[in-house]
Amino acid sequence: MREIVGKFADAARRALEAGFQAVELHGAHGYLIHQFLSPQSNHRTDAYGGDFQGRIRFALEVVDAVRAVWPEELPLFFRVSATDWLTENPEDGREGWTCEDTVRLAKELQAHGVDLLDVSTGGLVPDARIEAAPGFQVPFAEAVRNEAGLPVAAVGLITDPAQAQDILATGRADAVLLGRELLRNPFWARHAAGALGGEVHSPVQYHRA
């Protein structure tokens, strides 16, 4: 366990040496940290399993190790699956990680030096029922922001500039992060600035176009 925690710190140290100015720990979508968090996957009987405090122990140790090598003035993000989409589904009898768990975790993460929670959902259980729709994960980010007080980023089928602007303007999140939409349209930010009346700056080499 100590070796793996140390590898997270080593990776953060390499990122710093490479010139990155922000780092994000991935604790979502069924990856290692998420596997410790969720009671659906964590069946350990030692200090890293069992109750809530046991299941979040690994995540907090990773955060502490990374924060120890990551400068205080540079932001540390943490990505979480706010729900496994199990407990909230009355037709699914399996126990999973919930939004209430995420709010509790957010308070702990903030105390350990995390600056922003990147709020996604799912990814641990392949057959979980997820009713995806534009902005379907935003309510989870909003809940963390309102109940834990930790700055949050909203993600998930946010594709329209007006949609993204509304999420920020209404205080549902502090940032909007884009993934697939930027793969589909690398110029999304420029188009969004134009659509929302912002000033779009072009490199001198582009002026003729």
Side-chain angles (χ1 to χ4, degrees), residues 25 69 82 93-94 145 147:
L25 293 170
V69 301
R94 293 172 292 182
R145 190 175 192 267
E147 297 177 39

Side-chain angles (χ1 to χ4, degrees), residues 51-73:
D51 63 9
F52 178 82
Q53 289 301 137
R55 287 184 282 110
I56 70 170
R57 183 184 305 276
F58 179 70
L60 297 183
E61 288 185 358
V62 170
V63 168
D64 288 343
V66 169
R67 190 79 266 186
V69 301
W70 191 252
E72 194 64 34
E73 66 273 13

